[in-house]
């Protein structure tokens, strides 16, 4: 609830188009996490691209938003209650987010991304949903 309130406060301070983008990105985040439109896996890509655009516009720190999206998409991919197609789509977008994280953080990003990739590789041992 506090996150939603902070997001609303942030959105209220943004210019119109940026405010709309932020609100859409926040709605997409919830759609992705809950697989609300499981037949539309491109929504995951829209979420990742939207976060990157908000970072370029200065709404978020690029590394911070990439970390946040990576964690959220990985958490979603690990959710056994979600459809396997959705999990696979999350893993595909996770790979794209990890590439961006490496780019933004340089050598530090490689270590962080490798740790996330290892969690994905361990799969069943870490509770990753079968995809």
């Amino acid at each position: 609830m506090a996150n939603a309130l902070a997001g609303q406060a942030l959105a209220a301070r943004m210019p119109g188009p940026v405010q709309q983008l932020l609100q859409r990105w926040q709605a997409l985040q919830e759609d992705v996490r809950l697989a609300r439109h499981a037949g539309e896996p491109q929504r995951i890509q829209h979420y990742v691209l939207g976060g990157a655009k908000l970072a370029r516009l200065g709404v978020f720190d690029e590394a911070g938003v990439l970390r946040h999206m990576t964690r959220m998409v990985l958490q979603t991919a690990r959710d056994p209650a979600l459809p396997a197609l959705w999990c696979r789509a999350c893993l595909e977008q996770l790979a794209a987010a990890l590439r961006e994280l490496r780019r933004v953080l340089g050598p530090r990003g490689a270590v962080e991304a490798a740790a996330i990739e290892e969690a994905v590789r361990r799969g069943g041992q870490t509770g990753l949903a079968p995809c």
Side-chain angles (χ1 to χ4, degrees), residues 77-78 80 91 117-131:
R78 287 180 167 176
L91 291 176
E117 288 171 341
E118 180 58 28
V120 171
R121 271 193 287 282
R122 287 193 311 254
Q125 299 160 2
T126 61
L128 187 62
C131 293

Side-chain angles (χ1 to χ4, degrees), residues 35-106:
R36 280 204 180 119
H37 304 277
E40 301 175 29
Q42 69 275 16
R43 286 179 176 261
I44 304 163
Q45 181 181 24
H46 294 302
Y47 167 69
V48 172
L49 293 173
K53 185 171 185 175
L54 287 165
R56 282 192 309 275
L57 292 171
V59 176
F60 297 121
D61 166 68
E62 191 173 18
V65 77
L66 285 168
R67 283 185 184 109
H68 168 80
M69 289 188 305
T70 300
R71 283 190 302 266
M72 197 282 294
V73 172
L74 179 58
Q75 180 183 21
T76 302
R78 287 180 167 176
D79 190 336
L82 300 179
L85 173 66
W86 197 254
C87 294
R88 283 191 296 274
C90 283
L91 291 176
E92 289 170 11
Q93 290 308 312
L94 181 62
L98 286 170
R99 280 192 303 275
E100 283 300 300
L101 190 60
R102 278 193 182 104
R103 180 190 62 75
V104 169
L105 296 179

